[in-house]
Amino acid sequence: MNIVKIMKFGGTSVGNPDRMKALIPLITDKEKKIVVLSAMAGTTNNLVEITELLYADNKDEASVKIEILRAKYHDVVNDLYTTDPIRQSGHDLINSHFDNINNLTLRILTKLQERTILAQGELISTSLFHLLLQEREIKSVLLPALNFMRIDKDGEPDYFYIEENIKRELRKKSSENIIITQGYICRNAVGEIDNLKRGGSDFTASIIGAALKVSEIQIWTDISGLHNNDPRFVQNTKVIRELSFDEAAELAYFGAKILHPSSVNPAKEKNIPVRLKNTLEPEDEGTLITSNSILLDYKAVAAKDNISVLRIRSDRMLMAYGFLRKVFEIFEAYRTPIDMITTSEVCVSITIDNPQYLTQIAKDLRELGTVEVEENQTIVCIVGDFRTERTGSAPEIFQALNTIPLKMISYGGSPNSLSLLIDTANKTEALRLLSKHLFE
Ligand code: ADP
Ligand code: ASP
Ligand code: MG
C-alpha cells in the first residue's frame, strides 16, 4: 500500500513525555504514513552550544552541558515508559548516544563531528518514540533518514537520489502503517552526516512527501496554523485558513518561523497540499496551503532579520550595460544570494541574509564604485494582492508606517507581496503598526 500522508511533529510536539504520548492517537488511524520527528524542543540549541564550546576549546564546560542533557534524557525515559525492560532499553539508548557525543569531544572538533553532534537530537527523539510505540504494542518501523535523505554539492536536496532510495527502503518495510523517520538530518554529496539547516524538519517532510507523491503533508506544531503576523511580536494575530503555495513560500522565506524557508517548494512542485496543524488543539483545522489562490488585499506580514544592505554608487557606470552583471558576478563568486534590490540612476542597493563574505563582497564591489554597508537590517514582507493592475495598496502600507524610516521598497517583483527594508530596531513597532492598520 502506498504512503498516504506525511505527519511532521516539531520540537514542542515531542517536547516532553506527555507531548510524545499525546501523538499516539493522532497517528494510529488506518492510513499508511511517514511520521517525521524533530529533536525535543531545546535539544538542537543545546547541541549547538556544546559544539560552540568545543570550538572555543572549552571542553570542561562542554562536558558539563553534555552531562546535564544526558540527565534530562534519563528523566524523560523514566517518565515516558512504564515497563522495566523498555525503560532499561531507553536508558541504554541515551547512554550510547551521549557516550558517542563524549567521544567526539576528545579530539579537536571538525565540521563533520560538529554535524554528527547536531544530528543526535533527531536520532534520539525518533528512537525514544519508536520504543514508546513498541511498549504500547503499536506496530511501527524506524526508517533511518541517513539511508535516503541527501543533499548535493550545492547543499540542495538531491531529489533523484532521495526518491530512488526512499522507495527502495520502503519496499523492505511494506507491512507497517507507521513509519518513523528523522527530520533535519541527511548525508551530503560525499556521504557524510549533514543537515538541512535549522528548522529543517519541515523541509524533510516536504521533500519526502514530494518524492512519494502523498496526498497530504501535515506539519504539526504548537500553534493552529499560519497567522497574519508574527505572534512572538504582535498580539491578536489571526490564523489564515487558506494560502496559496506562492504566498506561503514568500512568508516562510521572509521569516514566518512556522515553516522552514524552503519547505513549500517541493510540495508546490508536485502540487501536494500542506496542512499546518496544532498538536495542542488537534481538532482545529489549521491552515491549508494549496495551489488555490484567494485574493485578499492583505493576508499576512512576516519579517526576516540579520539582513545586510550594500549600497553601490557609481556616477560613471551604473546605467552602462554590463554594470549590473559585474555587480551580480561578485555575489555569485561568493555564492551569496541576493534578497532585495533597488536601483536609481547612480546607485544600486542590494540586501543579503548571509554575512559570511560581506567584507570580501564589499571590497570587490569597491572596484566598481563607492560602497556603503549597513548591518542589523530587517526585511518586512507584506503578502496580499499586489497585482500590477491594482490601485491603492501601497499608500495604505506607507501611511501605516509613516513614523518608520523605510530604507528600501520592493514593489512589482511579485504579484503576491511588497517588501520593505527597515532597521531591526524598528521591527516590532513596524509589525504592530501593520497589524493595526491592515488587519484590525
Ligand atoms: P516547531 O518546533 O514545531 O517546528 P517552530 O517554533 O519552528 O515550531 O514554529 C512555530 C512557531 O512559529 C510558533 O510558535 C510561532 O511563535 C512562530 N511563528 C512565527 N511567525 C508565525 C506566523 N506567521 N504564524 C504562526 N506562527 C508563527
Ligand atoms: N531540530 C532542528 C532544529 O531545531 C530541526 C527542526 O526542529 O526542524 O533546528
Ligand atoms: Mg520549526
Side-chain angles (χ1 to χ4, degrees), residues 298 300-302 380-384 386 397 416-420 434 438:
Y298 308 107
V301 175
V380 174
C381 173
I382 301 124
V383 163
F386 292 98
I397 290 167
N416 311 308
S417 71
L418 181 153
S419 305
L420 306 159
L434 287 168
L438 306 184

Side-chain angles (χ1 to χ4, degrees), residues 44-64:
T44 311
N45 285 346
N46 289 153
L47 296 171
V48 169
E49 286 159 16
I50 289 165
T51 58
E52 283 169 355
L53 287 167
L54 291 172
Y55 276 127
D57 210 21
N58 193 344
K59 286 195 178 144
D60 293 343
E61 228 181 291
S63 296
V64 171

Side-chain angles (χ1 to χ4, degrees), residues 8 10-11 38 199-202 221 257-260:
K8 176 258 168 175
S38 290
S201 299
D202 304 330
T221 181
K257 190 190 174 226
I258 186 166
L259 281 173
H260 176 282

